[in-house]
Amino acid sequence: MNREQLKKLEKDLWSAADKLRANSDLKASEYSTPVLGIIFLKFADNKYRLHEDAIYEEYTRLKGTRRERSLQEIALEKCGFALAPHARYQHLLNLPEQEDIVKAIRLAMASIEVTKPELLGVLPQEEYDRFTRSDKNRHIPKDLLKLFSDIPADASGDVFGQIYEYFLSNFALSEGQGGGEFFTPRSVVRLMTEIIEPHGGKVFDPACGSGGMFVQSAEFIHQHRQDAAADLDVYVYGTEKTRETVKLAKMNLAVNGLRGDVQQANAYYEDPFNSFGAFDYVMANPPFNVDDVALDAVEGDRRFNTYGVPRNKTKKSAGKGKDGGKDDKAVETVPNGNYLWINLFATSLKDKGRAALVMANSASDARHSEAEIRQSLIEHNLIYGMLTLPSNLFYTVTLPATLWFFDKGKTDERVLFIDARNIFTQIDRAHRELSEQQIQNIAIIPRLHKARRGEFVALVDGYFRQGLAQLQEEAAHIPALSERLLALLAEENDAQAQQAGQDAVAGLQAQWAGLPALAAAQAAHDRAHGASDDVDTRNTAQHALRALFTPFFHGLHASLKALDKAIREMDKRKADAAKATGKRAAGNRQAKGVKDALQALHDEVKLAERFYAHIGWLQERFPKAV
């Protein structure tokens, strides 16, 4: 399944699932966990199906011998799940309408928990009772089982992980403030991992929500398996104060095949993993501006006091009791919890450990005790960099946030500041995201800062290859499109206008005819300037190569614009002629098909050109690859 097919599947599944909820009396917050549970059931069944033959083969081979083992034991070893017949997805899907589907799903979940202790108490069960409270809801469990059966039987854990995360993000959007608390947008987490570059070891998130930081850390490691020096072994640890969200996180780890431990805990007062100096990487998006944490609970804790404890400017006095005297129960709180989190991330790192955290912009220049803590962090040379994000990336916060990066192995005493407020892709009126290329463009900056210049020119070369591949794919469609355009223009009664249209088609063909020469120039560049070539030479050659493509795109846009104009004017003359005779202009299916194909070509050219725009963005800001 390629990326486009997966994106279509995600959208189709979400659209259908959301339509089911719209016809029920369920709120999004009531619906999300049961839906994610059924996705989990399908994942478990798919994974079991992949290993089923090997499981039964070994069971049969050992049966009756001294080494005989139970089917469950073999299944857990080979695929991580042991599924009873009544927990198989096809069994649930084939149950007749009159059966109690809710009860069957609950029994399936319970049987999986029994065989997989780390999921005990995690999988949704009583949550499915919501579907029995009214007749409007009763059909939904069966319909959801049918819906998710569309996920291919051979879909991998990666596919399920992405579908699970897609549903998490959409539930966060639909649930508003409450839902967004457990979900950090994928593109933000991707950027954080690309900058701190986890290469295995122990990853900690003390405000882990649904576990997105862990998933992206593992994905980064997976994508960099070709790095021979990379440690591919990762174990994740998380704390989260909300029980329901802990369940989501544990299901997320299981769907993505991650090893780890997520516990329900309030990080201000509980430390189940003895976190001080314990982790290779820390990543988190903690709650901002919490002001009700008791000072006496944290001021003696080395997790929070190593670099200074945030305090009120003047000591808070005890309040008045009912009789007018002092209230001995009044508790002094920290003025703002942001610097408690900042302390926690810094103190949880091992020597040479790295951290990435999302923080309110106000923390960057907070005064008084917070400023003293910030100064201490700088004096200890812990802050590697700070990056200001665009607004509207998060579902619950419209203002821009700042990413802080710590590096205990840092040797450069300077702090890298990146202003990324104007780098984003608009996805709807109220929300933005970072595209994969925008993430890579930002992430290359700290790598350049560390003098890893070869990665910069490799990124640029990658964009050249992707852009050319997109252009070559479209070039194959030009002859057929040209024929259709010429056939349409042949209907033009005005000879002069017909000639203008034919000239525009010829111009389009002429522009595309220049593509083989550009492809040859790029192939020559690739042969002459491989990874072993000097970076400065390679960078200079890349500037020259980009300059060859600029006039190609100018000419392409000019010819497409001329064609658009010719077809619009032809349509207008037909409409005017029909109006003059008192008739309505008749629709032409062939004409509509040609216009749609031309618009598709426009869109594909823009997609290809975007890669060259990214090259331009990088080369204009870092012309010497420095």
Side-chain angles (χ1 to χ4, degrees), residues 19 49 67 84 89 126 162 184 194 225 278 365 594 622:
K19 196 175 293 182
R49 184 193 298 263
R67 295 166 55 214
Y89 200 87
E126 66 271 13
Q162 290 190 55
T184 307
E194 286 292 330
R225 284 180 184 274
D365 60 357
V594 173
F622 310 103

Side-chain angles (χ1 to χ4, degrees), residues 95-169:
L95 287 172
E97 297 288 343
Q98 63 270 25
E99 285 280 344
D100 188 340
I101 305 292
V102 164
K103 181 181 178 182
I105 292 173
R106 290 186 64 167
L107 287 172
M109 294 291 188
S111 71
I112 294 174
E113 287 190 346
V114 166
T115 63
K116 200 168 174 68
E118 62 266 38
L119 290 177
L120 196 60
V122 170
L123 300 181
Q125 293 182 44
E126 66 271 13
E127 287 90 342
Y128 290 98
D129 293 342
R130 299 163 187 167
F131 295 114
T132 63
R133 73 183 181 205
S134 86
D135 287 338
K136 292 176 72 175
N137 304 335
R138 290 184 185 277
H139 66 96
I140 295 179
K142 183 74 171 178
D143 289 344
L144 286 171
L145 286 165
K146 290 177 183 173
L147 174 63
F148 293 115
S149 68
D150 289 342
I151 299 174
D154 60 350
S156 65
D158 289 346
V159 168
F160 273 95
Q162 290 190 55
I163 291 172
Y164 187 91
E165 195 169 352
Y166 184 82
F167 269 70
L168 273 174
S169 67

Side-chain angles (χ1 to χ4, degrees), residues 165 168-169 180-198 203-205 207-221 223-224 236 252-253 256 258 281-286 355-359 387 389-390 393-395 401-405 432-436 438-440 442-443 447:
E165 195 169 352
L168 273 174
S169 67
E181 288 175 358
F182 67 70
F183 189 81
T184 307
R186 180 184 179 90
S187 66
V188 176
V189 186
R190 285 273 296 118
L191 177 60
M192 293 165 73
T193 57
E194 286 292 330
I195 290 179
I196 71 163
E197 302 181 283
V203 180
F204 180 44
D205 183 346
C208 71
S210 55
M213 301 285 179
F214 302 141
V215 173
Q216 290 301 321
S217 296
E219 190 169 306
F220 177 89
I221 293 166
Q223 289 173 347
H224 291 77
V236 301
N252 204 0
L253 296 192
N256 284 280
L258 291 174
Y281 306 97
V282 180
M283 296 179 65
N285 176 15
L357 53 138
V358 184
M359 188 47 62
L387 185 153
L389 292 166
L393 280 182
F394 295 85
Y395 303 138
T402 299
L403 299 182
W404 290 45
F405 297 96
R432 298 164 170 172
E433 66 178 9
L434 301 170
S435 71
E436 179 60 26
Q438 287 167 335
I439 291 168
Q440 295 302 328
I442 297 169
R447 295 175 194 174

Side-chain angles (χ1 to χ4, degrees), residues 77 93 96 171 205 228 261 304 306 341 351-352 385 462 508 531 554 562-563 571 597 599 618:
E77 180 186 280
L93 186 62
F171 281 127
D205 183 346
D261 187 2
F304 301 117
T306 297
W341 289 109
D351 288 343
K352 299 190 177 179
L508 180 67
H554 286 326
L563 269 171
D571 281 348
Q599 182 56 52
L618 291 166

Side-chain angles (χ1 to χ4, degrees), residues 6 11 19 22 72 75 158 163 166 235 241 246 269 314 320 336 339 376 435-436 438 445 471 548 562 582 588 622:
L6 177 57
K11 287 179 181 176
K19 196 175 293 182
Q72 177 180 311
D158 289 346
I163 291 172
Y166 184 82
Y235 201 93
K241 68 176 183 178
V246 169
Y269 309 121
T314 55
K320 289 186 176 181
N336 187 302
Y339 274 80
S376 179
S435 71
E436 179 60 26
Q438 287 167 335
I445 298 170
L471 287 171
L548 295 178
N588 184 323
F622 310 103

